[in-house]
Amino acid sequence: MAQSPLVMRIVSASFAAANRAGMIIRDIMRKGELGVVEKGINDLQTEADRSAQRCIVASLSKQFPKVDIIGEETLDANDKIPADWIVLGTDTEILAKPCPENLTNVKDEDVVIWVDPVDGTAEYTQGLLDHVTVLIGIAVNGKAVAGVIHQPFYNYKTANATLGRTIWGVIGIGTFGLDKVLPPAGKRIVTTTRSHSNKTVTDSVQAMSPDEVIPAGGCGHKALLVIAGVAHAYVFGSPGCKKWDTCAPEAVLHAMGGRLTDVHGNDIRYEATVKKQNAGGVIATMSDHDWYLSRVPQSVKDALPA
């Protein structure tokens, strides 16, 4: 039997690794020993961040040793990793999907995997668990082409419900793990940051003339609000988020028919050598993307590099 194309194997392995990381994140929360460290202003790291990244990076490195993997957390490469954290399994349903023709001959050196082990760390420490996601984005030749978004605490407010949900997408195949729902008609709902606001963020959001604004934590969570049809747009007119925040959400959103760019309308690049910060902010939509771009104030565009 012929081996599946590299991109599909990475997505399948990422799906399995994200699920295992979600179990680790829930276990650490259950024990209550979060091990919080301040990396900077409004920038926290917990034992869940560290352990989940070890799990994901070790699992993917074992299977794809020649592929660049970039994680948010700076960790000791000599750390011992428990054997049961290394997941070598795959998801057969993903491997059964036909690979898009433009991705069938991708080589290891063409790929960069961007990992945010716990997106929404502050919310994790505050008990806002529905804001927490695990993000694994796959870029080929600098473009986000596939992604996995795992919600470790999905359903956590529902008694006796199974915790966790994993959504994945590949551009050219589609997005799986949730049904496409259109946002409410006759109104405009915008989601934006709940903890990293400033004048350019506020000005950008107000310029959209929203009927409702949903403050939320985590880039993955805000993108999911758009993907799930809760919000019409995710607007962030500030250079706050990083490549590991946007790679997976961009690919999943795009695979479903949406779009994610900076406030100038530029695609975000994901080569291993790029600057990690998304200096031009983020606009994510399922439709009418150009309209949202046209509403961004010139003062915001002037403040953020193109």
Side-chain angles (χ1 to χ4, degrees), residues 233-267:
Y234 162 29
V235 177
F236 186 58
S238 177
C241 62
K242 311 289 198 308
K243 299 296 185 290
W244 44 71
D245 295 312
T246 54
C247 187
E250 176 178 346
V252 172
L253 181 66
H254 191 166
M256 206 175 200
R259 193 175 169 201
L260 186 152
T261 67
D262 69 11
V263 300
H264 305 280
N266 299 317
D267 292 328

Side-chain angles (χ1 to χ4, degrees), residues 21-206:
M23 293 173 61
I24 294 169
I25 292 164
R26 289 192 297 270
D27 286 344
I28 291 170
M29 176 58 72
R30 194 175 298 117
K31 293 173 184 174
E33 299 173 359
L34 301 188
V36 179
V37 174
E38 289 192 18
K39 296 190 293 182
I41 298 172
N42 291 328
D43 193 6
L44 303 179
Q45 182 194 83
T46 69
E47 184 55 43
D49 296 84
R50 297 185 287 273
S51 297
Q53 180 163 307
R54 290 186 185 105
C55 162
I56 294 166
V57 173
S59 298
L60 297 180
S61 296
K62 190 85 171 175
Q63 297 174 80
F64 311 103
K66 296 180 181 178
V67 171
D68 281 328
I69 303 173
I70 301 174
E72 175 178 5
E73 311 305 338
T74 302
L75 303 174
D76 188 338
N78 297 315
D79 283 344
K80 275 200 160 187
I81 300 170
D84 66 335
W85 286 11
I86 300 177
V87 182
L88 302 180
T90 54
D91 184 271
T92 54
E93 289 187 17
I94 294 176
L95 292 178
K97 300 287 184 186
C99 182
E101 187 175 346
N102 65 310
L103 298 176
T104 53
N105 296 314
V106 171
K107 298 178 176 62
D108 294 55
E109 57 268 28
D110 300 329
V111 179
V112 180
I113 302 173
W114 293 88
V115 178
D116 190 341
V118 180
D119 186 47
T121 299
E123 287 70 26
Y124 180 69
T125 67
Q126 296 162 12
L128 300 171
L129 302 180
D130 50 339
H131 295 237
V132 176
T133 57
V134 176
L135 305 175
I136 305 177
I138 297 116
V140 172
N141 296 322
K143 295 183 178 181
V145 300
V148 173
I149 303 175
H150 175 68
Q151 297 172 280
F153 298 100
Y154 180 75
N155 272 339
Y156 86 104
K157 294 180 181 178
T158 304
N160 303 316
T162 301
L163 284 179
R165 174 173 74 165
T166 307
I167 297 151
W168 67 276
V170 178
I171 297 171
I173 299 178
T175 294
F176 304 86
L178 84 173
D179 295 324
K180 184 171 183 177
V181 177
L182 295 176
K187 62 189 304 188
R188 183 173 296 110
I189 302 172
V190 171
T191 184
T192 192
T193 181
R194 64 178 287 272
S195 57
H196 294 83
S197 192
N198 57 33
K199 188 177 188 305
T200 56
V201 170
T202 302
D203 289 349
S204 298
V205 171
Q206 290 178 345

